[in-house]
């Protein structure tokens, strides 16, 4: 396969392949940009169908982290790691330590954390080999409640922009996916007076949330088409596509899932239908903001992390206002803001 010339390569600084025959580790670290600081992004373990799929995934994810970290105001660049394999079958403590040595060999240009297939237990093994790791159980812990808080504030900012009030009483929100983030978001929305419609592929998840919040449970296949005020995708990516967008009745789409737009053009499709879209990497940055606090010289502090996550609401408001003023989509505005911050930092570095 080609790497330099594939579409996802898109300006990457470095792509490093790590192999440890003894433990079976096959890992790839993609460093998209270190202009704002060391590349920070989680490590995902996934049974990719082939190596090309792993390369494409890590490149796309690393680029996304550059934009997410820039918009979150963090002094971090964008990077990501993938380990090729089935997390349930292939992962061992020795493999995670080998991954830690791989991260250590990059001398701090890449800082790792958890992602799909990798938990805090695994990071404890990684930590034995390198200090370039964030999101440890004993410090910032589970990022999901911070992600949920950011999404909650982003929904309020969207309501304020679209309706002139961020009041949730009488507002109906459809939450798709009731995992770590979705369940906590549902709790917050319920406590603030919102009515809920929910869906998950697991019955125990919907039962729990329905019992706690009085939510109406619907089929996961149709939740996007519910007649609600806000649709909050908190499960899979690519849920905003040619099939779903014509069926969406909500005036606002604002949720935690990564890569919600199947293709960039779907942001225009939403805007043309009068749907206000909260760019995913801005609204779901609460988790990375939380782990970033662990990196500072003062160490982790929950109050400081919470205060920083609260800034997501203001950022969302600025994006909505700029999109309304210029006629650009909210996704275009967010990308332009992130790129402007990176360009300014690059120019400053060059001048120094
Ligand atoms: P999770 O795995 O805990 O929860 C996902 C939930 O979605 C599960 O309950 C699962 O059963 C459900 N689900 C799967 N397919 C579904 C479908 N077709 N319809 C309805 N429900 C379905 O994951 P999470 O940590 O809650 O993350 C949710 C989303 O937010 C993911 O896209 C993730 O990448 C993104 N995200 C999470 C964080 C975080 O801090 N956890 C941060 C940024 C982005």
């Amino acid at each position: 396969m080609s790497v330099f010339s594939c579409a996802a390569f898109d300006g990457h600084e470095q792509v490093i392949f790590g192999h440890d025959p003894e433990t079976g580790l096959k890992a790839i670290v993609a460093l998209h940009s270190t202009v704002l600081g060391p590349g920070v992004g989680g490590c995902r373990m996934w049974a990719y169908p082939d190596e090309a799929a792993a390369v494409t995934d890590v490149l796309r994810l690393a680029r996304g982290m550059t934009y997410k970290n820039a918009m979150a105001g963090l002094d971090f660049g964008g990077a990501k790691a993938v380990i090729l394999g089935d997390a349930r079958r292939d992962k061992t403590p020795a493999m995670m330590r080998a991954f830690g040595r791989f991260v250590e060999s990059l001398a701090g240009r890449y800082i790792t954390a958890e992602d799909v297939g990798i938990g805090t237990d695994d990071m404890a093994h990684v930590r034995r080999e390198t200090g370039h790791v964030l999101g440890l159980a004993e410090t910032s812990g589970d990022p999901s409640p911070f992600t949920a808080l950011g999404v909650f504030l982003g929904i309020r900012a969207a309501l304020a922009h679209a309706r002139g009030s961020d009041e949730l009483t009488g507002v109906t929100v459809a939450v798709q996916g009731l995992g770590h983030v979705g369940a906590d978001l549902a709790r917050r929305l319920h406590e603030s007076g919102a009515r809920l419609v929910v869906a998950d592929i697991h019955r125990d998840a919907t039962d729990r949330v329905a019992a706690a919040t009085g939510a109406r449970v619907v089929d996961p296949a149709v939740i996007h088409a519910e007649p609600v005020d806000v649709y909050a995708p908190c499960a899979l990516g690519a849920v905003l596509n040619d099939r779903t967008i014509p069926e969406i009745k909500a005036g606002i789409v604002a949720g935690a899932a990564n890569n919600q737009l199947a293709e960039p053009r779907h942001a225009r499709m939403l805007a043309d239908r009068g749907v206000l879209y909260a760019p995913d990497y801005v609204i779901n940055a609460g988790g990375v903001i939380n782990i970033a606090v662990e990196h500072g010289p003062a160490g982790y502090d929950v109050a400081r992390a919470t205060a920083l996550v609260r800034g997501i609401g203001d950022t969302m408001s600025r994006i909505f206002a700029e999109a309304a003023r210029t006629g650009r989509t909210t996704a275009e505005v967010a990308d332009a803001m992130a790129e402007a911050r990176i360009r300014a930092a690059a120019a400053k570095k060059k001048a120094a």
Side-chain angles (χ1 to χ4, degrees):
M1 74 165 293
S2 58
V3 176
F4 287 108
S5 54
C6 82
F9 191 75
D10 183 44
H12 272 73
E13 289 179 13
Q14 235 182 336
V15 182
I16 310 105
F17 293 76
H19 182 214
D20 182 63
E22 211 166 291
T23 62
L25 175 77
K26 282 185 186 164
I28 311 170
V29 170
L31 272 172
H32 179 254
S33 168
T34 56
V35 172
L36 292 175
V40 171
C43 171
R44 171 172 296 191
M45 184 158 184
W46 195 253
Y48 292 99
D50 53 42
E51 290 171 8
V55 172
T56 304
D57 198 36
V58 76
L59 291 172
R60 284 204 184 122
L61 291 165
R63 183 180 184 278
M65 287 310 300
T66 297
Y67 282 77
K68 184 183 292 205
N69 291 338
M71 277 306 283
L74 303 174
D75 293 329
F76 286 153
K80 201 88 183 184
V82 295
I83 297 178
L84 286 72
D86 182 329
R88 291 190 182 198
R89 200 190 54 207
D90 305 327
K91 193 171 61 181
T92 59
M95 179 187 279
M96 294 315 298
R97 288 189 66 164
F99 176 70
R101 291 191 293 277
F102 177 33
V103 172
E104 180 63 17
S105 75
L106 302 174
R109 274 169 63 72
Y110 169 58
I111 301 174
T112 196
E114 299 146 42
D115 196 70
V116 177
I118 301 289
T120 46
D121 292 0
D122 303 313
M123 280 301 142
H125 299 301
V126 175
R127 178 70 184 86
R128 292 179 70 180
E129 302 288 349
T130 182
H132 305 302
V133 47
L134 295 172
L136 296 164
E138 63 273 22
T139 47
S140 63
D142 180 7
S144 309
F146 294 86
T147 304
L149 171 62
V151 174
F152 174 76
L153 296 167
I155 289 174
R156 294 187 79 142
L159 288 167
H161 178 82
R163 308 169 147 220
S165 163
D166 69 353
E167 180 56 57
L168 279 155
T169 306
V171 169
T172 306
V173 184
V175 183
Q176 178 181 39
L178 300 171
H180 290 93
V181 180
D184 199 49
L185 175 66
R187 176 190 62 80
R188 282 183 182 278
L189 290 166
H190 170 67
E191 286 170 4
S192 301
R195 280 192 299 262
L196 294 172
V197 177
V198 298
D200 197 290
I201 48 170
H202 291 119
R203 174 81 190 273
D204 55 340
T206 50
D207 282 354
R208 242 191 335 267
V209 172
T213 66
R216 182 164 62 86
V217 179
V218 298
D219 189 325
V222 297
I223 188 164
H224 65 277
E226 283 292 311
V228 294
D229 302 299
V230 182
Y231 164 41
C234 296
L236 311 171
V239 289
L240 305 174
N241 54 48
D242 290 334
R243 183 182 60 81
T244 58
I245 291 173
E247 296 174 350
I248 291 174
K249 298 177 190 73
I252 293 168
V253 175
N258 277 313
N259 302 326
Q260 290 171 35
L261 299 167
E263 294 171 44
R265 68 182 171 84
H266 290 115
R268 171 53 60 197
M269 199 168 162
L270 285 166
D272 287 349
R273 297 177 64 86
V275 179
L276 185 64
Y277 166 64
D280 47 15
Y281 66 77
V282 185
I283 197 171
N284 74 13
V288 74
I289 292 172
N290 184 53
I291 64 166
V293 172
E294 203 177 315
H295 188 65
Y300 185 67
D301 174 48
V302 69
R304 211 152 57 82
T306 307
L308 288 171
V309 173
R310 289 196 172 278
I312 288 176
D314 295 338
T315 308
M316 294 303 323
S317 301
R318 279 195 289 130
I319 291 169
F320 295 144
E322 182 66 5
R325 195 181 66 77
T326 59
R328 285 181 295 165
T329 68
T330 51
E332 287 165 347
V333 169
D335 283 1
M337 283 180 173
E339 284 159 10
R341 186 172 173 230
I342 295 162
R343 260 198 316 276
K348 209 169 151 191
K349 260 189 177 175
K350 209 170 166 189

